[in-house]
Amino acid sequence: MNNMVRRSSKMARRYRLRGQAKTWMLYSVATPILFLMVVPYLYMLAQSLAPWTEVNRVFVPSSFTLRSYKWLLTGGAFAIAQPWLRALGNSALVTTVVTLSRVLTAALVGYALSVLPFRGRRRIHDFIMFQMFYPGIILLVPTFLLIRSLGLYDTYWAMIIPGLVSTWAIFMYTNFFRSVPKELIEAARLDGAGELRIIFQIMVPMARSITMIIFLFLFMERWIDLLWDMIVIRDPMKRTLNVLLATMFGPYGGYPGPLYAAAVLLTFPILLLFIIFSRKFVKGVSLIISS
Amino acid sequence: MKLRRELGGWLLASPYLLSAAIFFLIPLVWSLSLLFFRWNLITPEREFVGLANFGEALTSPRVWNAMLVTYKFMGIIIPSVMVASIGLALIIHHIPRLKELFAVGFFLPYLASGVAIGLVIQGILSYGSPVNEFLRNVFGTSPRWLRDPFWAVLVISGMIVWKLSGYYALIFVAGLQAIPRELYEAAALDGAGAFTQFRRITLPLLYPAFYTVLVLAVGITLGIFTEPYVLTGGGPALATHTWQLEIYYQAFERFRAGYGATVALINAVVTFVTILIIRRLAESWGARRGFK
């Protein structure tokens, strides 16, 4: 009896040890991979703060300086000063307006398509699917021509108007709103709530975590757009930060430090936004995926 | 009441209807008319050339090269991203603590602008970088990286795999969570080892996630633009010159609207057919294993 207890506890210990070894192995694989995933961000940050003699020569600078940032903002003593802060502002303006509009319109349209039993909604839904899978590249040249003939070439509107509505976001909301119990909506209607109130006081709050993910994905996608913003804008003062950085690779070739500083300006706002919202991120994403 | 609901539906859907009419239907029709003209985007007159744009595009070595380059990227990126994201998903799924930290950390690359990461890669691979110093110290020589067709393709593929795998891992995690634990317990009772369990239970049951990731990844690979645009400009010797670069080059650098639109259309057809074939292959593979 006693012997058996001792034996089984020995076995349990051996199992526990094996489990522990497995766990350690898992961590010792996962941690370097995690490092690999964040190392470009760390590299960017370190190089932007490195003394100029060390940029791209070492991984960890011997000391830190804000010289690259100061140079970036003043252009140093050279005539190649660029409106970096303004470009950051342009990115923020365009991205915020487009993303807010996309979320807002998607909530409205998604509600109409999932809750309101009006005729034609099936057809609209089918058309949205068609548009989602239609290759956007065919529309690049004609959309550019359309923007130009509307007189919007080289204006902020050119970056904003074509993107005000997202079929993907509509699709996401339509699917999520379908799962909201009809009784809830009926009850709100009996209480005299209008459709708009139902959308913004019941539906959207219920879809909080999915809204957060939709917002994040749309924001990021717009923030890092390159091709479209590049072809519709010529005025350097209206360029987004992503476009400005892409066009400065050559002219700033001799000044990698300031380029890294600009990359930090471009990248870290998104990272910050994400990390602030990341608490419910994994759950939100699995919601998106299951829909 | 009924009329009001009807009107309300159309009213709420109107933002989409408006935007689809203006920025989808009009360009759609317009793109068809562009195909048959030679036009430099500037002068008011355009010349009708019939099918000459198609003839030129289909015989252009640049177009065939773009097709080849895109498939080359696909051949490297799709298998790598599959293996990487399943691996990351297994880590997230099995790690006992700090699950969220690893999931979020692995996802971070997805947030990166290809331009900013391009800058980092360019720096890390520059001649005097620690990596190249190290290689020269050990091997006596360092690759020319982005100036070498072989390495340029690999580096850009690596950047894209790095960017996507954390995101796709989350799709596989959702798939892993949907697998009932009892299956593993039953298999363990039958004496199946960890590897057999993985091969016989995990992989087949991940099929829906696999399918989703495959379709997403193929779509992304067919649309590569930013990374080669900032890093190689499509070079060296067009080794990283993708469809999107060719369309951009023809339409907006050489101002050939009609020809650019034609290349875009051919690209779209090729994309469509490629996705169709890959989906069919994946579906028949799944059907043989009893999935829909």
Side-chain angles (χ1 to χ4, degrees), chain B residues 154-197:
Chain B
L154 278 191
V155 167
I156 288 171
S157 306
M159 284 171 71
I160 291 165
V161 171
W162 173 80
K163 182 187 171 98
L164 298 178
S165 49
Y167 171 37
Y168 295 163
L170 295 176
I171 300 177
F172 281 117
V173 168
L176 286 171
Q177 277 163 354
I179 301 176
R181 287 186 76 99
E182 294 80 38
L183 281 179
Y184 291 107
E185 285 157 15
L189 280 180
D190 288 344
F195 182 70
T196 315
Q197 287 179 23

Side-chain angles (χ1 to χ4, degrees), chain B residues 11-279:
Chain B
L11 198 67
L12 286 179
S14 63
Y16 169 70
L17 297 173
L18 260 177
S19 98
I22 301 173
F23 290 108
F24 183 60
L25 287 181
I26 294 179
L28 194 73
V29 176
W30 204 329
S31 72
L32 295 179
S33 85
L34 276 173
L35 301 173
F36 308 103
F37 289 91
R38 178 173 297 144
W39 184 39
N40 64 5
L41 287 159
I42 297 155
T43 53
E45 66 274 0
R46 31 189 230 170
E47 183 195 344
F48 182 81
V49 292
L51 292 173
N53 284 330
F54 284 94
E56 187 188 341
L58 290 173
T59 52
S60 157
R62 294 179 67 95
V63 168
W64 287 101
N65 172 71
M67 180 130 72
L68 183 77
V69 167
T70 304
Y71 286 130
K72 204 160 56 179
F73 276 126
M74 229 157 72
I76 301 170
I77 291 171
I78 305 284
S80 323
V81 90
M82 284 293 170
V83 173
S85 51
I86 291 178
L88 295 183
L90 287 173
I91 291 176
I92 297 170
H93 187 66
H94 286 292
I95 217 152
R97 253 166 294 162
L98 302 172
K99 224 179 248 293
E100 303 262 311
L101 172 82
F102 282 102
V104 165
F106 292 164
F107 181 80
L108 286 181
Y110 192 67
L111 301 171
S113 154
V115 180
I117 298 305
L119 184 71
V120 168
I121 292 296
Q122 202 186 43
I124 291 179
L125 299 180
S126 64
Y127 184 79
S129 76
V131 173
N132 284 328
E133 290 286 347
F134 172 80
L135 289 176
R136 277 194 296 274
N137 283 338
V138 177
F139 299 106
T141 174
S142 58
R144 297 168 70 225
W145 299 115
L146 297 167
R147 293 206 196 92
D148 180 316
F150 173 78
W151 285 110
V153 170
L154 278 191
V155 167
I156 288 171
S157 306
M159 284 171 71
I160 291 165
V161 171
W162 173 80
K163 182 187 171 98
L164 298 178
S165 49
Y167 171 37
Y168 295 163
L170 295 176
I171 300 177
F172 281 117
V173 168
L176 286 171
Q177 277 163 354
I179 301 176
R181 287 186 76 99
E182 294 80 38
L183 281 179
Y184 291 107
E185 285 157 15
L189 280 180
D190 288 344
F195 182 70
T196 315
Q197 287 179 23
F198 178 73
R199 217 172 64 94
R200 289 295 167 85
I201 299 174
T202 313
L203 273 188
L205 288 179
L206 276 182
Y207 173 73
F210 172 81
Y211 185 83
T212 309
V213 170
L214 184 70
V215 172
L216 284 177
V218 169
I220 295 269
T221 333
L222 288 164
I224 298 174
F225 174 76
T226 303
E227 286 82 2
Y229 177 80
V230 295
L231 277 180
T232 60
L238 297 184
T240 56
H241 195 76
T242 61
W243 278 108
Q244 314 277 315
L245 277 173
E246 176 66 6
I247 294 161
Y248 171 76
Y249 171 76
Q250 297 292 355
F252 298 103
E253 279 184 6
R254 296 191 56 198
F255 303 112
R256 304 180 66 200
Y259 183 67
T262 310
V263 176
L265 179 74
I266 295 173
N267 167 228
V269 172
V270 168
T271 303
F272 183 73
V273 171
T274 307
I275 289 182
L276 215 67
I277 292 174
I278 290 182
R279 280 176 67 162

Side-chain angles (χ1 to χ4, degrees), chain A residues 41 57 119 131 134 148 242, chain B residues 6 16 28 41 108 113 128:
Chain A
Y41 295 116
R57 307 259 168 231
R119 280 197 301 174
Q131 189 183 345
Y134 194 86
R148 209 178 58 171
N242 203 37
Chain B
E6 198 75 10
Y16 169 70
L28 194 73
L41 287 159
L108 286 181
S113 154

Side-chain angles (χ1 to χ4, degrees), chain A residues 165-234:
Chain A
V165 178
S166 155
T167 49
W168 174 76
I170 293 173
F171 176 75
M172 286 298 163
Y173 271 125
T174 308
N175 279 348
F176 184 83
F177 288 164
R178 273 201 190 125
S179 65
V180 174
K182 291 274 175 294
E183 297 77 34
L184 203 70
I185 297 156
E186 285 307 323
R189 278 198 191 122
L190 285 180
D191 286 347
E195 304 297 338
L196 282 181
R197 234 181 109 184
I198 297 177
I199 297 174
F200 291 108
Q201 292 193 346
I202 301 177
M203 303 301 268
V204 173
M206 278 185 70
R208 211 170 341 168
S209 54
I210 213 167
T211 300
M212 194 194 76
I213 301 289
I214 291 176
F215 185 88
L216 182 83
F217 272 62
L218 291 177
F219 194 92
M220 183 212 65
E221 184 193 34
R222 191 64 196 81
W223 184 262
I224 65 173
D225 181 86
L226 183 66
L227 184 54
W228 178 253
D229 293 349
M230 206 161 62
I231 62 181
V232 293
I233 296 298
R234 192 179 45 191

Side-chain angles (χ1 to χ4, degrees), chain A residues 240-255:
Chain A
T240 61
L241 188 52
N242 203 37
V243 173
L244 183 59
L245 181 61
T247 50
M248 283 301 124
F249 269 42
Y252 272 42
Y255 302 94

Side-chain angles (χ1 to χ4, degrees), chain A residues 47-48 52 55-56 68 252-261, chain B residues 119:
Chain A
Q47 302 299 323
S48 77
W52 282 17
V55 175
N56 282 340
S68 288
Y252 272 42
Y255 302 94
L259 276 182
Y260 282 115
Chain B
L119 184 71

